[in-house]
Amino acid sequence: MAALHDRAKAANPQTRAEAANLHYRVEAADLHAHLYGVTLTVAQPAAQQRVSLPVWIAGSYMVREFSKQIVGITARQGTRAVAVQQLDKCTWEVDCQADAPVTLHYQVHAHDDSVRTAWLDAQRGFFNGTSVCLQVAGQTEQPHQLELIAPQSHWQVATGLTPLKIDRQGFGTYVAADYDELVDCPVEMGTFWSGTFKAGGIEHRFVVAGATPAFDGERLLRDTQRICEQAIAFWHGKKRGQTPHKNYVFMLNAVADGYGGLEHRNSTALICQRADLPRLEETPAAPAKTQANAHSKTSPALSDGYTILLGLISHEYFHTWNVKRLRPFEFAQYDYSRENTTELLWFFEGFTSYYDDLLLRRAHLIDDAVYLRLLNKTVNQVLQTPGRKVHTVAQSSFEAWTKYYRNDANTPNLTVSYYTKGALVALCLDLTLRQHGVKNHSVSLDDVMRALWQRCCTGKRSGPMQEADVLAVLHDLTGRSWAPEFKAWVHGTRELPLEKLLTAHGVAIHQDPAPLAQRLGLRVSEDHSVQIKQVLADGAAQRAGFAPGDEWLGLEVTAPTTKSAPHTAWRIKKLDDVLLYAGRATQLTALVSRDHQLLRLPLSLPKAKAHSTWRLAIQDSHKVAAWLAA
């Protein structure tokens, strides 16, 4: 009983505030210099207290060295200034005694307009705690307070942190149970649009910075509500009150050009193009809700950009369960000072990528044809990545820190995305399970996910899991071992049985001629000339001698017969010009600029029939609907 009483006290914001030994005060030191001013007070420091700043943020698997943005750490103990010595790239030692509170002052430069770090200017403020809040050694499991000071009087605040004493705009003091919670609740500040809705009985807030007057916030709320209801029902069915979060905040920054998201325990930070937001003139009046049509009709047609945005919202919200609670065993306790590696990102990111668009379909925001079009894109991305033949998706997960997140010109030849191939592993597993069945009972990947939740996240279990847990659940549900499939799909590089499984579930697969870039094995950009970004392994361009960084200026064509026109040379500005000027010729000479040298590369144009791209279509609508329905 005593342990339960202690946990109840810790869950109470007032109790946590009274117990808080650590207090962060964050204000704008200079809006135009993009500087936050931070004051950290440690009520009961250790002698020679050490502090550090994380080198990475959970959910983004790359060492980013956030400490490089810290400016001028100073410290005082009472009226006495105490020395602060930097020990390594992200750790400092404060020359203090253990007999009195110590206060540290520092500034943080914040001009990274992404979801991972921090931003501050005269229009908007945003930060993750990993970029701003020093970690106090020995006290990370203690309660923390965060005090936010308004940079401008008309600004508001949005955050998933628990408020202790705040004003109507949201500025004031918040509390966190420990350092992990503090840095897992980003803060949005500014004059953003804000709206709320309930899903599963839980209050959800959606804030949008940077929207235009054409933005239809009510439609965004309606559509997001349907996604959230679908996700909550997926994990918990009709059992309200079982969700791991009691409130949720979506923070979306709309910009001219950008895309991304980062999941947190009860919030997410998102970025999208302004043009992808729903617009008032595109949204018909919502029909009156009845019991019959409240969630049964497909939403009015969505633009491609808005569909992608809703998929991002679905993806990050699904992470509330899959990676924030149900998580890799290696993430049971984060080490913010170094890489935290796991072979399971194919499951946590890949399976989430499988379900993000699937939940849009189940929420009737898209139909079966649109879902297959989105899946089609994922399939072709994987099939057009040579790295899938040399790097398993488990290895791709483990090496995300050095390969996926440090993308360069050769990345497609070295590795495969654990997002996209992981999604296809989930697809293959789901479709194979549906074929399997147990005693006339249909089994699907939905059952596996919910069984994993029950196995790892209920009772005294706090969420860490291993691949062995997935295999155990599969064995429990089906009565057989799935080790052979995991060996082939997760730990092997053979092609996935996509064609066989999709065809069995009512999907027709057409082989269309591949675009020229795919036939040549090139990834390019086109702006008055063809810039070579990546050269894919074993392709015609690699055999001809193309290299990343080349500028393809033109081509020389020799007529295929002696009776035709003589040898000609052409300037090209886009890749399609190659086919225009080549005619029937298959042997060309590419004119390339490399390091200001002009090179002539002999190039053989592959036949169109030798390379194809997949096009998925509905062949049996009943089978497709049976698969895609909840």
Side-chain angles (χ1 to χ4, degrees):
M1 289 296 292
L4 288 174
H5 180 64
D6 289 344
R7 283 201 295 272
K9 287 174 63 180
N12 184 289
Q14 185 63 44
T15 302
R16 278 190 272 169
E18 292 171 356
N21 188 40
L22 304 161
H23 183 97
Y24 300 81
R25 176 186 170 98
V26 178
E27 55 194 324
D30 190 327
L31 291 172
H32 300 305
H34 317 292
L35 289 173
Y36 284 110
V38 184
T39 302
L40 166 58
T41 301
V42 184
Q44 297 176 341
Q48 306 300 117
Q49 178 68 63
R50 291 190 177 188
V51 296
S52 61
L53 198 68
V55 303
W56 69 289
I57 183 170
S60 184
Y61 307 107
M62 178 177 169
V63 170
R64 298 186 184 275
E65 316 293 16
F66 300 130
S67 59
K68 67 184 179 182
Q69 303 297 350
I70 286 187
V71 182
I73 298 181
T74 61
R76 299 190 70 84
Q77 194 162 32
T79 59
R80 180 174 63 92
V82 293
V84 180
Q85 180 182 1
Q86 187 162 3
L87 302 181
D88 59 32
K89 65 181 181 180
C90 63
T91 307
W92 293 261
E93 186 175 84
V94 184
D95 187 19
C96 62
Q97 304 300 316
D99 57 357
V102 64
T103 301
L104 288 80
H105 300 275
Y106 56 96
Q107 294 181 334
V108 177
H109 185 258
H111 201 250
D112 182 344
D113 196 10
S114 76
V115 297
R116 298 178 296 266
T117 53
W119 174 269
L120 182 66
D121 65 9
Q123 284 73 48
R124 173 179 176 261
F126 171 83
F127 67 85
N128 290 284
T130 44
S131 292
V132 170
C133 299
L134 288 170
Q135 181 176 241
V136 180
Q139 301 197 37
T140 57
E141 296 183 6
Q142 300 299 314
H144 290 57
Q145 287 186 5
L146 176 66
E147 182 183 3
L148 300 173
I149 307 301
Q152 303 196 65
S153 61
H154 57 284
W155 279 24
Q156 306 172 68
V157 170
T159 180
L161 284 169
T162 301
L164 177 64
K165 185 178 180 181
I166 61 173
D167 62 22
R168 294 180 61 184
Q169 302 294 93
F171 288 96
T173 304
Y174 294 81
V175 292
D178 51 29
Y179 185 78
D180 280 345
E181 182 180 350
L182 176 73
V183 301
D184 204 15
C185 295
V187 174
E188 176 77 29
M189 299 182 289
T191 54
F192 45 72
W193 175 92
S194 179
T196 62
F197 62 87
K198 282 193 174 181
I202 297 167
E203 182 83 6
H204 291 68
R205 184 183 186 190
F206 209 128
V207 303
V208 181
T212 70
F215 167 54
D216 186 349
E218 292 306 313
R219 183 175 191 187
L220 180 63
L221 290 180
R222 289 197 304 270
D223 293 344
T224 303
Q225 181 183 32
R226 293 169 74 167
I227 292 168
C228 295
E229 291 279 11
Q230 196 62 229
I232 291 170
F234 175 90
W235 290 101
H236 305 291
K238 297 181 180 180
K239 296 180 181 179
R240 288 177 177 262
Q242 300 295 310
T243 57
H245 54 297
K246 303 307 176 187
N247 55 72
Y248 198 89
V249 184
F250 293 94
M251 290 169 273
L252 174 60
N253 183 27
V255 297
D257 186 18
Y259 172 84
L262 190 60
E263 69 276 2
H264 299 280
R265 63 183 62 197
N266 68 336
S267 64
T268 182
L270 308 164
I271 188 168
C272 78
Q273 294 185 36
R274 291 189 188 96
D276 292 343
L277 292 172
R279 303 181 196 180
L280 290 167
E281 69 272 13
E282 296 175 347
T283 305
K289 287 188 177 181
T290 66
Q291 188 65 29
N293 72 11
H295 291 291
S296 62
K297 292 185 177 181
T298 301
S299 177
L302 310 178
S303 68
D304 289 346
Y306 186 43
T307 301
I308 292 170
L309 172 58
L310 291 179
L312 176 65
I313 291 169
S314 178
H315 183 100
E316 302 306 338
Y317 193 68
F318 198 83
H319 271 319
T320 309
W321 293 266
N322 195 39
V323 91
K324 296 311 297 184
R325 272 78 179 186
L326 189 64
R327 62 191 188 278
F329 178 81
E330 296 88 347
F331 290 179
Q333 182 64 54
Y334 293 129
D335 182 346
Y336 294 106
S337 68
R338 62 174 181 83
E339 296 92 337
N340 290 214
T341 53
T342 176
E343 287 192 346
L344 286 174
L345 295 182
W346 59 269
F347 179 90
F348 292 101
E349 291 293 356
F351 280 39
T352 299
S353 296
Y354 175 61
Y355 277 108
D356 54 21
D357 291 332
L358 188 53
L359 291 188
L360 298 188
R361 157 62 183 84
R362 292 180 180 177
H364 302 289
L365 291 166
I366 59 175
D367 59 21
D368 294 349
V370 173
Y371 174 79
L372 287 184
R373 190 175 76 232
L374 296 170
L375 177 63
N376 202 151
K377 182 178 178 181
T378 300
V379 170
N380 282 327
Q381 284 176 339
V382 173
L383 294 180
Q384 295 165 17
T385 302
R388 76 187 191 282
K389 298 179 180 179
V390 298
H391 210 215
T392 73
V393 75
Q395 291 172 316
S396 172
S397 300
F398 192 85
E399 295 188 80
W401 301 81
T402 55
K403 289 189 175 178
Y404 182 79
Y405 273 91
R406 294 188 182 276
N407 197 291
D408 62 26
N410 200 40
T411 295
N413 300 322
L414 294 177
T415 190
V416 64
S417 167
Y418 50 79
Y419 284 90
T420 52
K421 186 174 180 182
L424 297 187
V425 170
L427 169 70
C428 290
L429 186 56
D430 193 14
L431 298 186
T432 305
L433 282 165
R434 291 170 184 273
Q435 285 182 323
H436 187 277
V438 180
K439 296 180 180 179
N440 298 321
H441 171 66
S442 175
V443 179
S444 73
L445 189 58
D446 297 9
D447 301 301
V448 174
M449 301 300 287
R450 286 190 283 266
L452 279 168
W453 181 264
Q454 291 297 318
R455 178 185 179 92
C456 301
C457 296
T458 58
K460 295 182 179 179
R461 294 158 293 191
S462 60
M465 57 157 272
Q466 302 179 69
E467 186 176 309
D469 291 300
V470 187
L471 289 168
V473 164
L474 284 165
H475 188 276
D476 290 345
L477 289 173
T478 64
R480 76 164 178 90
S481 171
W482 290 76
E485 284 85 355
F486 274 50
K487 182 179 179 180
W489 302 347
V490 176
H491 300 283
T493 56
R494 286 185 295 176
E495 300 289 12
L496 297 173
L498 295 169
E499 187 169 3
K500 174 183 176 182
L501 290 169
L502 286 168
T503 301
H505 285 82
V507 179
I509 300 174
H510 302 284
Q511 303 286 341
D512 291 339
L516 181 58
Q518 183 182 335
R519 288 165 54 191
L520 293 174
L522 285 175
R523 293 179 181 176
V524 306
S525 65
E526 298 169 320
D527 184 14
H528 302 293
S529 66
V530 179
Q531 305 287 336
I532 308 301
K533 298 299 182 183
Q534 294 171 322
V535 180
L536 303 186
D538 300 323
Q542 187 184 70
R543 290 190 291 272
F546 280 86
D550 286 353
E551 181 181 14
W552 192 353
L553 301 173
L555 53 92
E556 295 176 347
V557 182
T558 301
T561 68
T562 55
K563 295 182 179 179
S564 300
H567 165 97
T568 56
W570 301 93
R571 176 77 164 90
I572 66 171
K573 293 188 176 181
K574 55 184 185 297
L575 205 55
D576 285 347
D577 289 344
V578 173
L579 295 180
L580 172 66
Y581 297 131
R584 295 181 180 180
T586 58
Q587 301 299 316
L588 312 174
T589 299
L591 305 177
V592 168
S593 171
R594 181 184 303 165
D595 191 27
H596 288 203
Q597 296 184 64
L598 296 180
L599 306 177
R600 301 173 76 251
L601 305 179
L603 174 64
S604 297
L605 281 182
K607 294 181 179 179
K609 294 181 179 180
H611 296 266
S612 62
T613 187
W614 282 27
R615 177 167 50 87
L616 306 182
I618 298 173
Q619 184 164 13
D620 187 324
S621 59
H622 296 291
K623 287 184 177 180
V624 172
W627 156 37
L628 297 181

